[in-house]
Amino acid sequence: MTNTDLKARYERDGYLVLEHAFDPGEVDRLVEEAVRICRGELGDIHGALSAGSADTDDDVLRRFLCIHYPHKLSGLMLATMRHSAIISALTSLIGPNIKAMQSMLFIKSEGEPGQAWHQDEMFIPTRDRSLAAAWLALDDATIENGCLWVLPGSHRSGVLYPNREHDDPRYDCTVESYGFPFDDSDAVPVEITAGSVLVFNGYLLHKSMPNTGGHGYRRALVNHYMSAESLLPWDAPPEGTNMAQADYRDIVLVAGTDPYEYKGLQEVRRPRVRPNRDGGCDR
């Protein structure tokens, strides 16, 4: 697919798949690194239970649904943010200067919940609507084990829909979007093979369902990117700075140049587990 075709599909549908972007050896190394991260061998993870020497790798992995910011623990996860297959596509879709601000490692063993309909820009607000996710499958992602579902074209209006808490046991405790002019009959499952990458727009409505497989995982590494030209008002600004100047600087430059390099970088967030790994939420 040419860069022009990539961009046209992305603008039309809000997502595209980079088939076999990572080779099997690269995927195997990331899976092995995920075990080391979950065992705590690469650093502390806020909210994680300690792994004992008697715990098998499966024992340890099944304690996790999602770890935020694994790139701050692992040089391999950090390097994956800059993988050529991902960056080549993103520079065609976003522009030559790109920064990343978040990574998430999903484990999702059998029986674990999915995540309700949502838009990533609701949580990570860019100034220019450039937010994009790169969802790297570390296992074959299928309907049975909880692949992503998308609402094609739902990004085009540029509307961020309202959200609310829920008690649906199929999903984790992240809020759900509602009030959008689509229903579940419009949804498309995105089944992809291990090593393939789903790239999608920050305004695209998407969800995942529980892993209903009899055994095994649906592991994925998800990184979020945006244009380096845009400010990132993710947190409230320091006292004395108005909201229009807010700019989150806990970032990784992955392509081109950073026009705000003069601001320096700041360590803001540390690796943590996603709260309440069980289906539904009892708040």
Side-chain angles (χ1 to χ4, degrees):
M1 189 183 302
T2 67
N3 288 345
T4 301
D5 292 336
L6 278 177
K7 191 170 181 66
R9 179 171 296 185
Y10 186 77
E11 291 178 349
R12 181 192 69 199
D13 297 333
Y15 72 99
L16 55 87
V17 176
L18 307 175
E19 299 281 1
H20 310 299
F22 286 64
D23 66 42
E26 291 175 307
V27 173
D28 288 345
R29 286 189 289 275
L30 285 166
V31 168
E32 292 167 2
E33 191 81 337
V35 173
R36 297 180 65 206
I37 289 172
C38 291
R39 281 192 171 278
E41 295 176 4
L42 301 184
D44 293 334
I45 304 169
H46 180 72
L49 297 174
S50 298
S53 58
D55 291 327
T56 68
D57 290 346
D58 280 342
D59 291 336
V60 173
L61 289 174
R62 282 177 166 78
R63 294 172 185 163
F64 294 89
L65 174 61
C66 179
I67 298 171
H68 288 245
Y69 312 108
H71 74 279
K72 295 190 173 193
L73 297 169
S74 162
L76 179 58
M77 299 280 176
L78 178 60
T80 301
M81 273 188 162
R82 297 187 170 104
H83 193 281
S84 58
I86 295 174
I87 300 308
S88 176
L90 290 178
T91 51
S92 298
L93 302 175
I94 296 175
N97 305 315
I98 300 175
K99 58 189 175 186
M101 81 300 292
Q102 180 175 251
S103 61
M104 296 184 292
L105 174 62
F106 286 91
I107 304 299
K108 198 171 181 179
S109 59
E110 65 275 9
E112 292 297 331
Q115 186 173 350
W117 288 118
H118 65 284
Q119 298 164 289
D120 289 350
E121 276 263 8
M122 178 63 71
F123 305 101
I124 307 174
T126 68
R127 293 280 295 269
D128 61 355
R129 293 175 54 186
S130 64
L131 187 69
W135 197 100
L136 166 61
L138 301 179
D139 299 288
D140 292 346
T142 66
I143 292 174
E144 182 182 50
N145 70 11
C147 69
L148 258 61
W149 291 70
V150 300
L151 288 169
S154 58
H155 67 298
R156 290 200 298 263
S157 67
V159 173
L160 289 174
Y161 297 101
N163 60 66
R164 61 193 174 195
E165 295 179 359
H166 68 85
D167 58 3
D168 190 325
R170 297 176 299 171
Y171 305 123
D172 70 14
C173 65
T174 309
V175 293
E176 65 173 357
S177 296
Y178 69 99
F180 42 82
F182 304 89
D183 58 41
D184 283 359
S185 65
D186 300 311
V188 174
V190 186
E191 296 185 290
I192 59 176
T193 58
S196 296
V197 179
L198 170 62
V199 179
F200 58 93
N201 186 281
Y203 278 73
L204 184 76
L205 284 157
H206 60 287
K207 72 172 184 176
S208 64
M209 298 299 289
N211 182 347
T212 59
H215 59 85
Y217 304 97
R218 193 232 60 188
R219 289 165 289 197
L221 178 62
V222 187
N223 296 321
H224 283 97
Y225 303 87
M226 62 182 288
S227 68
E229 286 83 2
S230 175
L231 301 182
L232 175 55
W234 201 359
D235 288 337
E239 185 176 354
T241 302
N242 63 51
M243 194 64 205
Q245 301 301 314
D247 191 20
Y248 181 84
R249 292 294 299 170
D250 194 350
I251 62 163
V252 177
L253 185 70
V254 298
T257 59
D258 177 8
Y260 308 112
E261 183 180 11
Y262 65 89
K263 297 180 181 182
L265 300 177
Q266 184 179 10
E267 185 81 9
V268 179
R269 288 175 168 84
R270 295 299 303 158
R272 61 176 176 83
V273 297
R274 176 168 292 184
N276 194 341
R277 63 191 291 275
D278 300 321
C281 281
D282 180 8
R283 293 188 174 86

